[in-house]
């Protein structure tokens, strides 16, 4: 996928997301939305938690991804 001039491998993001403690399954999709100036592409990460105990917060997940991925590869949602 190419977003904002960067070539992005969704599988690489999914791999990093699957390494977050407490996440059992995950998927990353590239989405598009219409704006006044055209279309904008962005990344969305979906995940299934392993259990109710030791549940990572969104901030924990984003922090883990920020340590392992460049900024342009971190999902917007």
């Amino acid at each position: 996928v190419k977003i904002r001039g960067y070539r992005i491998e969704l599988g690489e993001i999914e791999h990093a997301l699957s390494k977050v403690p407490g996440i059992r399954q995950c998927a990353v999709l590239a989405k598009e939305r219409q704006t006044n100036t055209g279309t904008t592409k962005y990344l969305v990460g979906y995940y299934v938690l392993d259990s109710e105990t030791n549940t990572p917060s969104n901030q924990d997940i984003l922090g883990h991804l920020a340590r392992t991925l460049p900024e342009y590869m971190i999902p917007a949602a």
Side-chain angles (χ1 to χ4, degrees):
V1 175
K2 198 165 193 177
I3 298 178
R4 289 172 285 175
Y6 294 104
R7 177 150 170 67
I8 298 172
E9 293 291 335
L10 299 180
E12 193 175 338
I13 301 168
E14 289 174 352
H15 179 74
L17 193 55
S18 70
K19 297 296 180 189
V20 175
I23 291 182
R24 181 171 26 131
Q25 290 180 310
C26 62
V28 177
L29 300 175
K31 299 268 191 163
E32 289 186 4
R33 75 176 129 225
Q34 292 291 349
T35 63
N36 292 337
T37 59
T39 60
T40 303
K41 290 183 181 179
Y42 62 101
L43 298 170
V44 178
Y46 298 94
Y47 57 88
V48 176
L49 296 175
D50 203 10
S51 66
E52 292 297 322
T53 59
N54 198 15
T55 303
S57 69
N58 285 341
Q59 293 298 70
D60 293 336
I61 294 169
L62 290 175
H64 180 84
L65 293 178
R67 286 189 297 276
T68 57
L69 296 172
E71 183 181 345
Y72 65 87
M73 291 178 74
I74 296 176

